[in-house]
Amino acid sequence: MSLTPEQLNDVDDLILDVLADGRATQTLVQQCLAADGDDFSRQYLNMRMKRLAEHDHIENLFDTGVYELVDDPR
């Protein structure tokens, strides 16, 4: 089941923005956000990315830790 835009928080939007530019690991997502002044813990980003993956918006490719955008719910 897809998430609606109202079910997304600001961090979800930031993650989707990074992945809209191409594939990335969680570490790269964290570094991109930190470069923009947004500092989130690895655990929190992991939780948000898992949620997006559970709803088929992003995919962990072959369980390698490399994520790509599948369906942007915004």
Side-chain angles (χ1 to χ4, degrees):
M1 174 179 223
S2 294
L3 297 170
T4 65
E6 295 79 29
Q7 293 173 306
L8 301 173
N9 68 20
D10 292 341
V11 176
D12 297 331
D13 284 332
L14 294 170
I15 292 168
L16 292 169
D17 286 343
V18 171
L19 293 176
D21 289 335
R23 295 175 177 168
T25 62
Q26 179 182 328
T27 300
L28 183 58
V29 170
Q30 187 173 18
Q31 290 171 349
C32 289
L33 298 182
D36 289 337
D38 298 308
D39 191 22
F40 302 103
S41 72
R42 182 170 180 81
Q43 294 82 8
Y44 184 66
L45 284 178
N46 184 48
M47 180 182 72
R48 300 313 301 176
M49 291 177 77
K50 277 187 177 182
R51 182 169 185 255
L52 290 169
E54 288 169 357
H55 291 277
D56 298 321
H57 298 298
I58 66 174
E59 181 180 7
N60 182 350
L61 299 175
F62 309 107
D63 292 322
T64 60
V66 176
Y67 289 84
E68 76 176 356
L69 182 64
V70 175
D71 176 49
D72 194 331
R74 298 174 287 179

